[in-house]
Amino acid sequence: MDKDRTAAFEALKLIETENTWSNLALGKVLKASGADQPFVRELVYGILRNRLLIDHTIDGYLKKPHLRTAERILLRMGVYQLCFMDSVTPYAAVNETVELARQKARGSEGFINGVLRAFLRDGARLQVPEISEALAPKELARRLSLKYSVSLWIVRLWLRSYGLQQTEAMLKASLFPAPLTLRANCAKITRDALIEELKKQGFDAVKGEYAPYAVVCKGSGVLSTELFQKGFFSVQGQASQRTAFLLDPKEGHTVIDLCAAPGGKSCAMAEQMNDRGRVLSFDLYPRRAELIRAQAERLGLTCITAAAADSSQPITRLEGIADRVLCDVPCSGLGVIRQKPEIKLAQRPADLEALPSLQLQILQNGSRCLKPGGLLMYSTCTVNPAENRQVIDRFLSESCSFVIEQEQQFFPQENGLDGFYICLMRRQNC
């Protein structure tokens, strides 16, 4: 049996039936299968990015309204290969899917063969809705949701917050993978030297424009290199890197990082400090604190102390001790849907309305840890004013001690960056 398509099926099933994150599902099945990673990743991530539109097209060929999960996954796989994977012939796309159905949806192979062949006869074209400003608001949102395979609640939120032009630009960006961006470990290697080493190993590597240690890399297998294993770089988007860089930690500083797992920003700040000083990193669960320790160990960083703590509660023992505080708070994650396309398909979180209050609480607790003159960074990986500037406005309305030094909302269609919000504030005496 085709181990590549089998692995893709199993990953998609884990995501669908157990709500497993795509990266974890892929990691699990690829490790066990020995399948071709680029093929499986393209098939899985491509289906997730286009799933609502693929389902909309499939539904047009059905006589019965409901499908079993395995049948739906197999049809998605066949349709995606026919529409998007030029390396796969139409014959292989149909026949291999039908063969897989004999194992995963026994008794349905004839039905799946019939649907895919009918789709192929019709030109293998997805049924893309037309978009027009003249449409009624509800119909406009519905069509945008289908065309770009993004949950309706996200489309409505963005239309309300940013208007049609900005919303459609963000939705378009969600259809494409984010560039792979690395962060050179400046405590071990310069960015230029890392780029040269990567090029020697066959990778296409260039400087990132928005963070001083960023390297945009093309090529597969970079995380299997000795350079990664020995801690010369980490994977981190430029907007996230910029957050740590703008906080500007210095050698000898005490830095507090709340909600820090998996530890990318903690490690970035420790590297900027040349591993001299203290980075106190906290996350809610012990297993997440362990992720931070593992990253620090791989990178050779000793100044990071990671521990489990609930940052929504006051941290009285740390009040007034820090030169820098980072509050990278829990959020809806709408800025990173290119990296985690299952977010596109998520139901509206039950706690969406409660998130800003939690975010404010964490920001207030973090601010109390700061010395006068110190810098406080609030950041999220979302594109939602209620979680971003509105939280800052509430915070500043309750405290005269802080002034904004820099604020920026990155959008996911801009220059290959993730959707990210950062607000850098300084504590004053008043």
Side-chain angles (χ1 to χ4, degrees):
M1 189 164 53
D2 186 331
K3 62 182 179 181
D4 298 338
R5 290 176 176 83
T6 300
F9 176 89
E10 295 298 340
L12 288 164
K13 187 177 178 183
L14 281 172
I15 295 163
E16 179 105 355
T17 62
E18 299 184 23
N19 293 319
T20 305
W21 285 106
S22 55
N23 62 320
L24 299 178
L26 279 165
K28 181 177 180 178
V29 300
L30 287 171
K31 184 177 181 180
S33 69
D36 178 51
Q37 290 198 24
F39 181 93
V40 176
R41 289 182 184 279
E42 180 184 350
L43 190 49
V44 170
Y45 282 126
I47 288 170
L48 292 176
R49 290 190 182 98
N50 295 275
R51 199 176 87 183
L52 296 183
L53 181 58
I54 290 172
D55 281 356
H56 173 66
T57 301
I58 290 171
D59 288 345
Y61 288 87
L62 301 182
K63 294 179 180 178
K64 57 179 182 178
H66 300 294
L67 294 173
R68 291 184 292 162
T69 299
E71 293 171 338
R72 177 71 72 175
I73 292 172
L74 288 162
L75 286 172
R76 289 169 182 161
M77 291 174 63
V79 168
Y80 184 83
Q81 290 170 78
L82 288 168
C83 291
F84 294 99
M85 298 184 76
D86 293 337
S87 62
V88 179
T89 65
Y91 175 85
V94 174
N95 280 41
E96 293 297 335
T97 302
V98 171
E99 284 301 311
L100 186 58
R102 298 186 198 281
Q103 302 294 324
K104 303 299 182 181
R106 186 174 296 276
S108 298
E109 54 265 34
F111 160 69
I112 289 169
N113 180 61
V115 171
L116 293 179
R117 292 198 180 281
F119 178 64
L120 190 56
R121 285 195 301 272
D122 289 343
R125 289 187 296 270
L126 295 172
Q127 301 302 308
V128 182
E130 292 186 5
I131 305 300
S132 167
E133 291 188 57
L135 291 167
K138 285 186 178 180
E139 180 62 14
L140 174 62
R142 188 189 72 84
R143 292 192 186 189
L144 286 168
S145 173
L146 285 175
K147 181 175 181 178
Y148 297 106
S149 292
V150 176
S151 290
L152 191 58
W153 71 269
I154 299 174
V155 175
R156 287 171 173 165
L157 171 65
W158 283 352
L159 283 171
R160 187 166 62 248
S161 301
Y162 302 105
L164 176 58
Q165 184 175 355
Q166 183 83 306
T167 294
E168 191 163 16
M170 289 192 283
L171 294 172
K172 284 179 182 177
S174 78
L175 296 176
F176 303 98
L180 175 62
T181 306
L182 314 178
R183 184 191 75 244
N185 180 353
C186 60
K188 282 190 171 186
I189 193 171
T190 66
R191 177 166 68 169
D192 287 341
L194 176 62
I195 288 173
E196 288 305 310
E197 290 298 322
L198 289 167
K199 287 181 175 178
K200 287 178 185 177
Q201 297 188 32
F203 296 98
D204 180 2
V206 296
K207 292 180 180 179
E209 297 180 37
Y210 301 96
Y213 310 114
V215 175
V216 180
C217 183
K218 294 181 181 178
S220 61
V222 71
L223 299 188
S224 300
T225 62
E226 193 172 291
L227 287 168
F228 178 76
Q229 301 301 329
K230 291 190 173 181
F232 286 99
F233 69 85
S234 299
V235 176
Q236 188 178 30
Q238 290 195 72
S240 180
Q241 289 188 45
R242 189 169 177 80
T243 301
F245 174 72
L246 290 176
L247 195 50
D248 194 29
K250 306 292 188 184
E251 289 187 19
H253 272 176
T254 293
V255 177
I256 293 176
D257 185 0
L258 302 182
C259 313
K265 298 180 187 69
S266 287
C267 291
M269 292 187 290
E271 291 165 8
Q272 289 172 232
M273 296 160 63
N274 291 314
D275 203 25
R276 296 172 186 167
R278 291 192 300 167
V279 178
L280 307 178
S281 304
F282 300 98
D283 212 281
L284 187 56
Y285 300 109
R287 60 181 172 78
R288 291 182 62 78
E290 184 55 40
L291 294 175
I292 304 169
R293 295 188 198 103
Q295 275 225 56
E297 183 178 355
R298 181 183 64 81
L299 294 165
L301 301 169
T302 60
C303 75
I304 296 175
T305 301
D310 184 354
S311 299
S312 69
Q313 301 301 314
I315 319 170
T316 53
R317 63 188 175 86
L318 301 179
E319 288 185 3
I321 73 162
D323 301 281
R324 303 286 188 268
V325 173
L326 171 59
C327 299
D328 186 48
V329 297
C331 70
S332 56
L334 300 181
V336 291
I337 56 179
R338 293 183 305 167
Q339 296 183 41
K340 298 179 178 179
E342 54 269 53
I343 294 175
K344 296 177 63 171
L345 308 168
Q347 298 296 314
R348 182 183 177 91
D351 62 349
L352 185 66
E353 303 302 329
L355 268 176
S357 294
L358 173 64
Q359 293 158 344
L360 177 62
Q361 200 168 15
I362 293 170
L363 180 58
Q364 290 169 333
N365 291 335
S367 72
R368 297 187 188 104
C369 298
L370 201 62
K371 298 175 182 177
L375 291 174
L376 172 66
M377 175 68 80
Y378 176 84
S379 64
T380 74
C381 58
T382 196
V383 186
N384 177 13
E387 298 178 69
N388 294 337
R389 182 55 198 248
Q390 291 176 28
V391 172
I392 295 301
D393 287 342
R394 288 173 63 190
F395 173 71
L396 294 177
S397 71
E398 297 172 10
S399 174
C400 65
S401 300
F402 289 86
V403 294
I404 294 176
E405 295 217 335
Q406 189 167 151
E407 178 189 28
Q408 191 160 8
Q409 173 73 69
F410 296 104
F411 291 95
Q413 74 274 19
E414 294 176 344
N415 307 304
L417 301 179
D418 293 321
F420 223 87
Y421 175 80
I422 57 176
C423 185
L424 182 66
M425 295 167 280
R426 188 178 294 276
R427 182 173 185 176
Q428 302 183 123
N429 289 317
C430 71

